[in-house]
Amino acid sequence: MTPNRSYRGKPNGKGASYYRGRYGGSGNSSRRSRNDVQDESHHPEDAQSEQGASFSNSQHELENLLNSIDGRQYSSYKQLSGQRFDFHNFSLVFDHIQVDPYAPPSQIRLVVSQRVAQFPIDLHSTKVRNVACAHHLSQLVHAFLSTIRPALSTKKAARFSTKGGSMCIDRPGQEVVERTSIVIDKDNVEARLSAALPASGRTIVSGLAKHMFLETLPLLVTRVLLYESVDAQAMNELIECVEDQEYMRSQLSSKGLVGFIGDGSMLPRKSGISSLSLVAPNVVPFTSPDSMRVSFVLPNRGRVTGMGIPQGVTLISGGGFNGKSTLLQAIELGVYDHIPGDGRELVVTTLNATKVKAEEGRFVSNTDIRPFINNLPFGIDTSRFSTKDASGSTSMAASIQEALEAGADALLYDEDTCATNFLVRDGRMQRLVSQNHEPITPLVSRIREMWDVHKVSSVLVIGGCGDYLDVADTVINMYEYTASDATARAKMIAEQIP
């Protein structure tokens, strides 16, 4: 341990060699900045850069090393960095060791050979299956680690309570996405974990470290990372569920659709901050209007039916608290695959769909927003518009232009989260503020062009602006969480009330 150079008191006469001999460490080379810590990534090459090579040792040698550094300063943990320890059915690799107990946790890997794990190749033979298989294993690892509580020792009174002793993995959610926390291929199964190395103050507590690495991790491998230990039926169910969703999504364009909501889907969520399905007696399963019902024949599940959302301009109308935003949110998240039991396993959306909303205060850089905003005061150029504090309307204009540039083929809007003056200007307001004095061209004036010319569809939740009935191809009405096709009635009303 290197003495604190900021110390201004009376020197005690003990040099760096004294502290290295007493506490271990390597002098100034162990001092690292906060930026160095934040730049660490969870990859084997990080360990290579720290140690120069990855060494292979035995489980017994790991135990001896931990015993030898017990009670020493925290920097002695650095002896683990870059090292590989072989257990009887897996290898433990220390990719990065945290610099102190209060730094971001250390990064470790569990590597299990397929000769031991024996996951059938067909479970991860394609990218879709590989992603689903890795997601399932991540769920299992997270569930196992959540049940483990570090056995903190309280035998010795200490100035500082014991810190660390926990391990975790990137927590998987309801959406199945590609992740690096679990890597599975024909050779190995690899789990990448974060581990908070235990200490009392900044003094190593080896007993707890041995509990982590010599007891918990072998148990984790045996219960989760071996095929014989997992629920093969549940894993296969998830893989086939994801395969079906990917297939439906790939067929949307050929059917002239931007989205699909399967009959029987459970769209409401537990709360506004939860992605879990709402479980309640009065939850209404989704049912497609007969006039909008389409079907898919899926490779695993077979024939399913539901509501197809056509390409073009689609409005979702209805009274407040009747399910409009719930439906749009399900469509928004339909770009992701969902796990079985989520309630949205049969909700898919074209992969390049994105939601647009007002983001007051957002940063905008060199974006051409002229299709929507021109003639700003003081001659501000909107062909290369930049601001550190966008308004609701300029943020929406910028978001649309950025989405189109990125290749979006469907844009989603909810009037509750949009800038009103960007959506529409009614006749009275147009008379009060002449066009020459209004820099904003509202979305209602551009939305048909976006489909007719650029083939970008739009899905809007609209409950208070009838001007959009003039430009809509399809109108879905939500009443008590039940959808109906209101297109014909909407067109009639638009003709009767110009």
Side-chain angles (χ1 to χ4, degrees):
M1 175 177 174
T2 304
N4 189 342
R5 298 189 179 207
S6 65
Y7 178 74
R8 293 292 183 266
K10 182 179 179 180
N12 60 14
K14 295 181 174 66
S17 60
Y18 168 83
Y19 288 97
R20 282 198 295 271
R22 181 175 177 84
Y23 301 117
S26 55
N28 290 341
S29 63
S30 66
R31 295 174 61 88
R32 305 174 68 190
S33 69
R34 182 173 299 178
N35 290 335
D36 292 334
V37 177
Q38 291 175 341
D39 288 340
E40 294 288 353
S41 60
H42 200 167
H43 295 286
E45 54 268 24
D46 295 333
Q48 298 288 338
S49 64
E50 291 187 16
Q51 288 287 337
S54 180
F55 304 101
S56 181
N57 305 279
S58 68
Q59 175 182 351
H60 181 66
E61 288 174 304
L62 173 59
E63 182 176 8
N64 288 341
L65 193 156
L66 293 174
N67 286 333
S68 70
I69 62 176
D70 186 36
R72 297 175 67 179
Q73 286 294 296
Y74 203 86
S75 59
S76 295
Y77 270 134
K78 295 295 288 184
Q79 297 177 45
L80 295 170
S81 185
Q83 296 213 48
R84 178 188 183 107
F85 296 91
D86 294 328
F87 289 60
H88 79 281
N89 61 353
F90 73 99
S91 295
L92 169 60
V93 182
F94 291 88
D95 287 327
H96 163 67
I97 300 299
Q98 63 202 93
V99 295
D100 65 54
Y102 306 95
S106 303
Q107 306 296 320
I108 64 175
R109 283 181 292 137
L110 306 179
V111 183
V112 186
S113 169
Q114 284 287 17
R115 293 192 299 272
V116 176
Q118 295 188 339
F119 283 90
I121 188 67
D122 65 291
L123 292 181
H124 52 90
S125 56
T126 66
K127 183 174 182 179
V128 171
R129 285 179 159 255
N130 191 292
V131 168
C133 185
H135 181 95
H136 186 72
L137 290 178
S138 293
Q139 285 180 311
L140 297 179
V141 173
H142 178 266
F144 176 86
L145 293 177
S146 297
T147 64
I148 301 298
R149 295 292 180 266
L152 299 176
S153 174
T154 58
K155 293 182 179 179
K156 294 182 179 180
R159 181 181 174 186
F160 300 97
S161 61
T162 303
K163 183 175 179 63
S166 62
M167 294 178 286
C168 65
I169 194 170
D170 179 37
R171 182 177 184 176
Q174 300 295 98
E175 291 79 27
V176 181
V177 297
E178 187 173 4
R179 60 185 69 250
T180 58
S181 54
I182 293 286
V183 177
I184 181 169
D185 57 31
K186 62 182 179 62
D187 298 317
N188 299 302
V189 178
E190 186 174 297
R192 300 173 174 181
L193 313 179
S194 296
L197 301 182
S200 178
R202 285 183 168 82
T203 301
I204 290 174
V205 181
S206 286
L208 185 52
K210 289 191 292 183
H211 175 76
M212 293 169 61
F213 301 134
L214 304 179
E215 298 179 30
T216 301
L217 291 184
L219 192 60
L220 167 63
V221 170
T222 301
R223 292 188 179 180
V224 174
L225 297 180
L226 305 183
Y227 181 66
E228 64 182 16
S229 302
V230 304
D231 185 338
Q233 182 177 349
M235 175 176 281
N236 197 60
E237 181 182 355
L238 172 60
I239 292 172
E240 292 184 349
C241 181
V242 171
E243 271 189 330
D244 285 344
Q245 291 172 74
E246 290 286 338
Y247 176 81
M248 282 191 290
R249 195 173 291 109
S250 71
Q251 299 299 305
L252 289 174
S253 180
S254 64
K255 289 179 175 288
L257 304 174
V258 296
F260 173 83
I261 300 93
D263 288 329
S265 296
M266 308 297 283
L267 306 184
R269 298 296 95 187
K270 187 176 181 179
S271 71
I273 59 172
S274 173
S275 61
L276 299 177
S277 180
L278 175 63
V279 179
N282 58 349
V283 174
V284 179
F286 185 84
T287 303
S288 172
D290 291 337
S291 59
M292 300 182 68
R293 182 170 282 113
V294 298
S295 65
F296 290 87
V297 179
L298 307 182
N300 299 300
R301 186 166 177 165
R303 185 174 182 271
V304 297
T305 61
M307 182 178 75
I309 301 174
Q311 296 171 338
V313 180
T314 298
L315 304 186
I316 302 174
S317 65
F321 306 99
N322 279 267
K324 303 188 303 296
S325 295
T326 299
L327 175 58
L328 186 73
Q329 184 184 52
I331 296 170
E332 175 189 355
L333 295 175
V335 297
Y336 301 110
D337 300 319
H338 290 89
I339 62 174
D342 173 79
R344 298 169 294 183
E345 308 94 304
L346 294 179
V347 179
V348 293
T349 307
T350 177
L351 193 59
N352 293 324
T354 187
K355 188 178 182 181
V356 176
K357 62 181 180 179
E359 299 176 89
E360 293 187 19
R362 66 154 285 190
F363 177 79
V364 179
S365 178
N366 294 324
T367 303
D368 185 357
I369 59 174
R370 288 177 298 174
F372 298 100
I373 297 179
N374 280 288
N375 304 321
L376 289 176
F378 309 113
I380 296 176
D381 183 15
T382 57
S383 66
R384 295 175 58 86
F385 181 74
S386 297
T387 181
K388 295 180 180 179
D389 187 20
S391 66
S393 56
T394 54
S395 70
M396 288 191 67
S399 294
I400 291 174
Q401 294 297 91
E402 290 164 349
L404 296 180
E405 184 178 355
D409 54 12
L411 301 179
L412 315 177
Y413 311 84
D414 189 332
E415 64 180 355
D416 286 348
T417 58
C418 291
T420 302
N421 63 337
F422 186 80
L423 290 180
V424 69
R425 291 180 69 231
D426 62 25
R428 288 179 175 177
M429 192 56 65
Q430 290 180 34
R431 293 186 64 180
L432 178 64
V433 180
S434 66
Q435 185 63 37
N436 293 336
H437 294 164
E438 175 53 71
I440 301 175
T441 301
L443 180 64
V444 70
S445 301
R446 293 292 192 193
I447 201 164
R448 277 251 49 104
E449 177 187 351
M450 290 170 64
W451 169 245
D452 294 337
V453 177
H454 302 289
K455 299 304 177 187
V456 176
S457 298
S458 298
V459 180
L460 304 92
V461 167
I462 294 289
C465 182
D467 287 6
Y468 278 89
L469 298 182
D470 293 318
V471 297
D473 296 306
T474 306
V475 179
I476 302 167
N477 188 67
M478 296 296 295
Y479 177 68
E480 294 185 346
Y481 297 94
T482 300
S484 61
D485 184 356
T487 305
R489 185 163 178 263
K491 292 184 178 297
M492 180 184 67
I493 292 172
E495 291 175 358
Q496 292 175 350
I497 308 175

